[in-house]
């Protein structure tokens, strides 16, 4: 008697006992064209995320100036604030290429002059705290990503029409709130919609898009260098608005999240859209386990996370580690104007270096190296090198830029690894919330960067020295976290506890 072939509809309802992770692996184990297009689409928001994060490098740069009188006290080496306003003028003439020249901030104290940039990172920090759990519950990954990108881009667009520094700071604050969940939503969506085999390569797409955004920003800034800083905001915000609408129309939600919410039909529809031909219903957690996330309570995932002692300890160690990495990573990019080199060329070097670090991390390092030892090594080298060249100062041109690139490369590697590491440390039911909180600790570190960067214009120890010390000290906290290399993503807290029988805590 011949065995009858089962139809796709019969396969969907086959009552097999299978976990969510096993079902995802079986359904979309092979990477196809549709999945590649989805990876490209979900990576686009990070392109504009990086532009809004580092746009102040150019919009807040100190413009070049020249002496306008024959007064011998005015030379190219004079301190601008020691001269009379009649002795010098901005080279750009009537065009304000920076907020510094438009609002006369060249002699303002560091706290006031750095207020717009600080407002942005404070917005990132608060926005992450307020919006982190929505990706695990009511809004979901996709909707939160689209809304965040739209708010970020609209606020950036409005920044171009700011009449003064106070209104400008408010718009930067709103931009930061909108931007806060973008990177985490992208990372989680990329890793949850592909099989374990392709997880690292998919995550790399988001990081590479981030670096390409910096390159794009540098190119736009160079082409508009003789125009108003407001033009730079217009050229970077309008494409971001368009991208948020495209993502809303064409992007798929995470099938893992849909299954954890009990939306099995929606999850199966997504898997079909991703090109799966083999669909098997998984064995979902019961309602009384507290792991299937109800849409009615947006903070249930946070409650689950904080309800486990091991998860709280892991979260604290991860947040402190990320704080130091964030202070170093963002500070290094924001400080390019303090090195005494061409700001556009240095930004290109830094962006290309970070791009290379992403390729190295996700094409080779993630597959072959442990997370803990790698993070410890990169944090130590980056922090120590940064401290050394901050002491040497600007007098050693080639040596300075070489050490800066080494320190930045290690900081980029640590930044790449820690975000991927966080995705693997927490289960699906709390992954977006936990990873977002860790990300917010990273953003909290960057809150101090604008002020340190301005102080570093006088003495590099205040900027690069502080970055290196924070990176060095916080890097040792990785020893408090378990190794995750080669382990499958868990979906519930119970699964995570079972898998981490050999965890440190």
């Amino acid at each position: 008697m011949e065995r009858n072939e089962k139809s796709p509809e019969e396969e969907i309802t086959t009552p097999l006992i299978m976990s969510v992770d096993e079902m995802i692996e079986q359904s979309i184990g092979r990477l196809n064209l549709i999945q590649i297009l989805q990876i490209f689409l979900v990576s686009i928001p990070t392109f504009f995320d990086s532009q809004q994060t580092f746009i102040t490098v150019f919009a807040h740069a100190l413009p070049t100036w020249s002496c306008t009188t024959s007064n011998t006290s005015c030379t190219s080496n004079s301190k601008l604030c020691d001269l009379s306003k009649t002795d010098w003028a901005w080279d750009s003439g009537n065009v304000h290429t920076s907020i510094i020249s438009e609002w006369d901030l060249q002699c303002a104290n560091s706290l006031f002059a750095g207020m717009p940039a600080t407002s942005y990172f404070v917005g990132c920090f608060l926005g992450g705290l307020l919006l982190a759990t929505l990706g695990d519950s009511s809004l979901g990954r996709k909707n939160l990503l689209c809304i965040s990108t739209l708010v970020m881009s609209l606020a950036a667009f409005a920044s171009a029409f700011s009449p003064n520094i106070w209104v400008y700071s408010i718009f930067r604050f709103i931009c930061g709130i909108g931007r806060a969940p973008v990177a985490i939503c992208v990372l989680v969506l990329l890793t949850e919609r592909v099989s374990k085999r392709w997880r690292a390569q998919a995550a790399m797409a988001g990081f590479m898009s981030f670096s390409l955004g910096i390159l794009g920003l540098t190119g736009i800034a160079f082409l508009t260098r003789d125009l108003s800083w407001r033009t730079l905001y217009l050229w970077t915000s309008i494409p971001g608005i368009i991208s948020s609408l495209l993502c809303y129309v064409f992007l798929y939600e995470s099938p893992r999240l849909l299954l954890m919410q009990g939306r099995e039909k929606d999850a199966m529809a997504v898997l079909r859209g991703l090109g799966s031909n083999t669909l098997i219903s998984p064995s979902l957690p019961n309602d009384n386990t507290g792991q299937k996330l109800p849409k009615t309570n947006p903070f249930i995932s946070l409650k689950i996370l904080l309800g486990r002692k091991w998860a709280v300890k892991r979260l604290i160690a991860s947040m402190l580690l990320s704080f130091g990495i964030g202070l170093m990573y963002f500070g290094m990019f924001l400080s390019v104007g303090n090195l005494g080199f061409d700001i556009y060329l240095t930004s290109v070097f830094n962006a290309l270096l970070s791009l290379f670090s992403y390729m190295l991390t996700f094409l080779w390092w993630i597959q072959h190296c442990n997370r803990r030892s790698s993070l410890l090594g990169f944090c130590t080298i980056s922090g120590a090198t940064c401290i050394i060249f901050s002491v040497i100062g600007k007098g050693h041109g080639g040596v300075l830029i070489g050490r800066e690139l080494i320190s930045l490369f290690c900081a980029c590697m640590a930044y790449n690894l820690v975000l991927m590491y966080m995705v693997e440390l927490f289960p699906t039911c709390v992954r977006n919330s936990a990873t977002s909180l860790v990300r917010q600790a990273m953003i909290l570190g960057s809150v101090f960067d604008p002020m340190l960067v301005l102080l570093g214009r006088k003495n590099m120890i205040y900027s690069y020295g502080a970055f290196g010390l924070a990176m060095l000290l916080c890097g040792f906290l990785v020893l408090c976290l378990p190794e995750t290399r080669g382990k499958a993503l868990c979906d519930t807290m119970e699964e995570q506890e079972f898998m981490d029988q050999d965890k440190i805590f």
Side-chain angles (χ1 to χ4, degrees):
M1 183 175 181
E2 296 183 359
R3 182 170 57 89
N4 294 327
E5 296 290 335
K6 291 185 178 181
S7 65
E9 290 77 9
E10 291 176 324
E11 291 184 5
I12 294 173
T13 58
T14 302
L16 297 180
I17 303 299
M18 181 176 288
S19 69
V20 173
D21 189 71
E22 291 172 333
M23 191 276 287
I24 295 292
E25 290 290 326
Q26 176 123 1
S27 299
I28 52 175
R30 294 182 178 179
L31 195 66
N32 56 38
L33 180 60
I34 297 176
Q35 293 179 41
I36 293 174
L37 291 175
Q38 284 288 303
I39 289 172
F40 171 77
L41 185 61
V42 79
S43 300
I44 292 177
T46 57
F47 183 90
F48 303 104
D49 171 20
S50 66
Q51 293 188 342
Q52 294 309 317
T53 299
F54 300 117
I55 195 171
T56 56
V57 171
F58 306 101
H60 298 189
L62 182 67
T64 58
W65 59 275
S66 302
C67 296
T68 58
T69 66
S70 58
N71 188 344
T72 57
S73 63
C74 181
T75 66
S76 58
N77 296 323
S78 300
K79 292 184 179 180
L80 199 59
C81 297
D82 294 337
L83 300 174
S84 171
K85 288 188 177 181
T86 59
D87 293 335
W88 63 275
W90 301 114
D91 292 339
S92 54
N94 295 325
V95 178
H96 294 296
T97 59
S98 166
I99 68 168
I100 301 295
S101 61
E102 179 161 350
W103 294 323
D104 292 326
L105 301 176
Q106 63 273 11
C107 298
N109 63 62
S110 300
L111 186 61
F112 183 72
M115 182 172 60
T118 301
S119 297
Y120 174 80
F121 286 110
V122 170
C124 292
F125 177 70
L126 295 179
L129 293 178
L130 295 174
L131 305 176
T133 61
L134 298 181
D136 283 327
S137 52
S138 55
L139 283 181
R141 285 47 158 153
K142 171 192 169 180
N143 290 335
L144 181 58
L145 175 61
C146 296
I147 293 174
S148 298
T149 306
L150 181 61
V151 171
M152 174 188 71
S153 301
L154 287 174
F157 180 81
S159 298
F161 303 95
S162 303
N164 53 57
I165 191 173
W166 302 102
V167 175
Y168 177 61
S169 297
I170 292 173
F171 285 136
R172 292 303 292 161
F173 176 76
I174 297 173
C175 185
I177 290 179
R179 175 258 178 182
V182 170
I184 294 303
C185 285
V186 168
L187 181 61
V188 172
L189 269 175
L190 287 172
T191 54
E192 286 189 345
R193 296 186 311 173
V194 295
S195 64
K196 177 182 175 181
R197 177 184 177 186
W198 301 105
R199 191 187 305 160
Q201 289 86 344
M204 181 185 70
F207 287 91
M208 291 185 66
S209 178
F210 190 86
S211 284
L212 291 174
I214 301 176
L215 285 174
L217 172 66
T218 305
I220 296 173
F222 180 77
L223 294 175
T224 61
R225 63 189 181 280
D226 296 325
L227 303 177
S228 171
W229 60 271
R230 301 172 188 272
T231 305
L232 185 60
Y233 272 99
L234 293 176
W235 277 98
T236 55
S237 61
I238 295 175
I241 296 173
I242 297 173
S243 74
S244 66
L245 301 177
L246 290 175
C247 287
Y248 183 77
V249 175
F250 297 107
L251 197 62
Y252 288 126
E253 180 57 273
S254 165
R256 289 178 180 270
L257 178 68
L258 295 174
L259 288 169
M260 294 305 298
Q261 291 180 339
R263 299 164 59 186
E264 189 173 341
K265 290 184 179 179
D266 292 336
M268 297 304 172
V270 169
L271 291 173
R272 289 192 193 94
L274 292 173
S276 174
N277 294 319
T278 305
L279 300 179
I280 303 175
S281 298
S283 176
L284 296 174
N286 297 323
D287 292 340
N288 58 6
T289 63
Q291 305 302 306
K292 187 159 64 173
L293 305 178
K295 294 185 291 181
T296 56
N297 188 350
F299 299 103
I300 186 64
S301 60
L302 189 60
K303 181 180 179 181
I304 294 172
L305 178 64
L306 299 180
R308 306 295 177 102
K309 187 177 180 180
W310 64 266
V312 173
K313 291 181 178 180
R314 182 176 296 186
L315 182 64
I316 292 174
S318 301
M319 291 176 71
L320 290 174
L321 169 65
S322 296
F323 175 87
I325 294 176
L327 185 70
M328 166 69 90
Y329 179 80
F330 291 102
M332 292 286 284
F333 278 103
L334 293 173
S335 296
V336 295
N338 294 352
L339 295 174
F341 294 90
D342 181 85
I343 190 173
Y344 302 102
L345 188 60
T346 306
S347 295
V348 169
F349 284 156
N350 288 351
L352 290 175
L353 191 68
S354 66
L355 190 64
F356 172 71
S357 75
Y358 297 148
M359 297 178 66
L360 178 63
T361 300
F362 295 103
L363 292 181
W364 188 83
W365 209 280
I366 287 291
Q367 290 90 341
H368 299 89
C369 299
N370 291 341
R371 281 51 164 156
R372 293 175 63 207
S373 56
S374 297
L375 275 170
L376 180 61
F378 286 126
C379 288
T380 302
I381 296 173
S382 180
T385 307
C386 196
I387 292 174
I388 291 172
F389 81 72
S390 70
V391 174
I392 293 176
K394 299 181 181 179
H396 305 74
V399 175
L400 176 64
I401 195 65
R403 291 180 184 273
E404 190 268 347
L405 292 176
I406 293 173
S407 184
L408 178 62
F409 173 76
C410 292
C412 289
M413 291 294 289
Y415 178 84
N416 305 342
L417 287 169
V418 77
L419 289 179
M420 191 67 189
Y421 192 24
M422 295 307 111
V423 170
E424 298 173 340
L425 278 175
F426 299 94
T428 301
C429 62
V430 297
R431 183 172 296 123
N432 206 83
S433 299
T435 312
S436 294
L437 289 174
V438 172
R439 169 76 173 176
Q440 292 326 112
M442 190 177 289
I443 297 301
L444 179 60
S446 66
V447 168
F448 301 96
D449 285 330
M451 184 174 63
L452 293 174
V453 168
L454 291 174
L455 290 173
R457 289 179 178 176
K458 300 177 181 178
N459 191 328
M460 294 179 65
I461 293 179
Y462 295 132
S463 56
Y464 288 103
F467 303 154
L469 183 62
M471 184 74 150
L472 197 61
L473 295 178
C474 293
F476 287 101
L477 290 171
V478 74
L479 297 175
C480 299
L481 298 171
E483 180 58 55
T484 61
R485 178 191 168 196
K487 295 183 178 180
L489 293 180
C490 296
D491 294 304
T492 68
M493 300 297 278
E494 285 77 12
E495 285 182 36
Q496 191 72 58
E497 290 174 349
F498 179 78
M499 178 175 289
D500 294 334
Q501 293 296 325
D502 59 343
K503 63 181 179 295
I504 292 180
F505 51 65

